[in-house]
């Protein structure tokens, strides 16, 4: 097709086998759109197309993604606000006839429906990172790392220490939007720990919790989607997936962590044995 239909905050370019969505950058554009930049949606990832009246003299053209086709939408799990739905194109009402034409053209090209067996839409590119309330989350495409903040992390997370999870050791991702009460990102592990009731996110070393200004949707959701896509494409846990030495730590960072551990020990939140064992573990990272 090759035509371009421009709306508010985005433009759709219709190609023979896909729709290329280019999102605008601007102070009025939803931050998630700006973070995504552009996305190519294969036609095989689309289950249907709708056109409906919008608010304040607009119409909304929407591509309906197939379940399981897009890691971003799978990670979002229906938690996105309507205004942040990347599959909606909002247009002035006077362009309804044109939008209806493209909707019909798209429908005529759709040949599959139902759940997809694999992700068909490319995930956000790595490396990715964001600041949660209790730690910094990083993903390099192979492993997820959580580095705790002494100002926000619970004593349980400080006892456990900074965490690194190879994607091959994970079974999935649980994302709860920071725009609702008690948002968090939790990594689901293959080791069977998920069979038990998971601890509260603020006490779970496999989770980071969000807060006001920490873990916003436009940072944490693409992160969750990228991890989920990597997990789905990874094989079973290899013999050495959980082993191997991690990167050496900054001595100043180790000193800060030992100092905070000492504060927890003095407050009675860490036993003598736990303090000694964790201190030795931290020193071994130098």
């Amino acid at each position: 097709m090759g035509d371009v239909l421009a709306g508010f905050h985005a433009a759709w370019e219709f190609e023979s086998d896909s729709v290329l969505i280019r999102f605008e950058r601007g102070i009025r554009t939803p931050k998630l759109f700006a973070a995504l930049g552009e996305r190519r949606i294969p036609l095989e990832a689309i289950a249907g197309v709708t056109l409906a009246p919008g608010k304040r003299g607009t119409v909304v053209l929407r591509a309906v993604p197939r379940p399981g086709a897009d890691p971003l939408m799978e990670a979002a799990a229906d938690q996105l606000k309507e205004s942040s739905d990347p599959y909606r194109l909002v247009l002035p009402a006077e362009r309804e006839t044109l939008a209806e034409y493209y909707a019909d053209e798209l429908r005529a090209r759709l040949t599959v429906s139902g759940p997809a067996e694999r992700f068909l839409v490319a995930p956000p590119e790595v490396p990715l990172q964001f600041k949660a309330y209790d730690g910094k989350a990083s993903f390099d495409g192979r492993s997820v790392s959580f580095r705790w903040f002494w100002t926000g992390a619970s004593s349980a997370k400080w006892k456990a220490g900074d965490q690194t999870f190879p994607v091959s050791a994970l079974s999935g991702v649980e994302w709860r939007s920071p725009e609702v009460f008690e948002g968090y990102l939790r990594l689901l592990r293959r080791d069977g720990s998920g069979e038990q009731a998971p601890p509260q996110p603020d006490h779970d070393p496999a989770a980071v919790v969000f807060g006001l200004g920490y873990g916003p949707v436009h940072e944490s959701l693409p992160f969750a989607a990228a991890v989920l896509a990597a997990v789905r494409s990874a094989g079973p846990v290899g013999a050495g997936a959980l082993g191997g030495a991690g990167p050496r730590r900054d001595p100043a960072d180790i000193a800060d962590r030992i100092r905070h551990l000492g504060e927890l020990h003095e407050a009675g939140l860490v036993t003598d044995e736990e303090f000694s064992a964790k201190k030795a573990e931290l020193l071994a990272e130098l």
Side-chain angles (χ1 to χ4, degrees), residues 30-50:
K31 291 184 178 180
L32 178 60
F33 293 177
L36 293 174
E38 68 176 41
R39 310 187 80 214
R40 185 176 298 278
I41 313 299
L43 296 185
E44 61 177 332
I46 301 174
V49 182
T50 64

Side-chain angles (χ1 to χ4, degrees), residues 96-120:
E96 180 176 4
T97 300
L98 184 61
E100 186 173 3
Y101 165 77
Y102 283 111
D104 289 340
E105 287 289 310
L106 268 180
R107 292 188 190 106
R109 292 173 177 266
L110 302 182
T111 59
V112 292
S113 60
E117 296 181 356
R118 60 184 178 85
F119 288 140
L120 301 171

Side-chain angles (χ1 to χ4, degrees), residues 248 254 279-286:
R248 298 184 69 85
I254 294 295
K279 181 179 179 180
E281 180 183 327
L282 289 169
L283 291 172
E285 296 182 14
L286 290 173

Side-chain angles (χ1 to χ4, degrees), residues 55-274:
K55 299 176 181 178
R56 301 171 189 168
T58 64
V59 292
V60 180
L61 178 65
R62 185 176 190 269
V64 181
R66 294 172 60 194
D70 184 349
L72 188 83
M73 303 306 285
E74 289 297 298
D78 297 322
Q79 296 177 77
L80 282 177
K81 292 181 177 179
E82 187 178 74
S83 60
S84 295
D85 182 349
Y87 284 84
R88 294 173 76 250
L89 181 66
V90 182
L91 304 119
E94 58 265 25
R95 306 191 73 185
E96 180 176 4
T97 300
L98 184 61
E100 186 173 3
Y101 165 77
Y102 283 111
D104 289 340
E105 287 289 310
L106 268 180
R107 292 188 190 106
R109 292 173 177 266
L110 302 182
T111 59
V112 292
S113 60
E117 296 181 356
R118 60 184 178 85
F119 288 140
L120 301 171
V121 182
E125 295 183 0
V126 296
L128 292 166
Q129 62 183 27
F130 70 91
K131 289 184 179 180
Y133 175 74
D134 56 357
K136 178 180 178 181
S138 303
F139 180 50
D140 62 5
R142 295 174 297 177
S143 61
V144 181
S145 298
F146 293 157
R147 177 182 174 184
W148 309 122
F149 295 152
W150 70 270
T151 53
S154 65
S155 59
K157 291 184 175 180
W158 273 98
K159 289 179 184 179
D162 291 348
Q163 301 289 303
T164 298
F165 302 89
V167 295
S168 58
L170 302 175
S171 63
V173 176
E174 181 181 7
W175 180 79
R176 184 170 178 81
S177 174
E179 296 178 342
V180 298
F181 185 62
E182 295 183 344
Y184 60 84
L185 170 69
R186 190 197 305 271
L187 304 177
L188 307 178
R189 289 170 283 184
R190 296 181 187 265
D191 59 8
S193 60
E195 297 176 359
Q196 305 173 355
Q200 290 295 320
D202 61 337
H203 287 82
D204 186 356
V208 288
V209 298
F210 306 146
L212 185 61
Y214 293 94
V217 171
H218 70 281
E219 294 180 356
S220 61
L221 180 57
F223 185 102
V227 174
L228 181 60
V231 168
R232 293 280 179 89
S233 65
V237 182
L242 298 177
R248 298 184 69 85
R249 303 289 186 181
D250 182 353
D253 179 57
I254 294 295
D256 286 341
R257 293 171 187 277
I258 291 177
R259 187 179 304 112
H260 182 67
L261 188 65
E263 294 173 356
L264 294 175
H265 180 232
E266 291 178 2
L269 299 175
V270 176
T271 66
D272 293 342
E273 293 77 12
E274 290 172 334

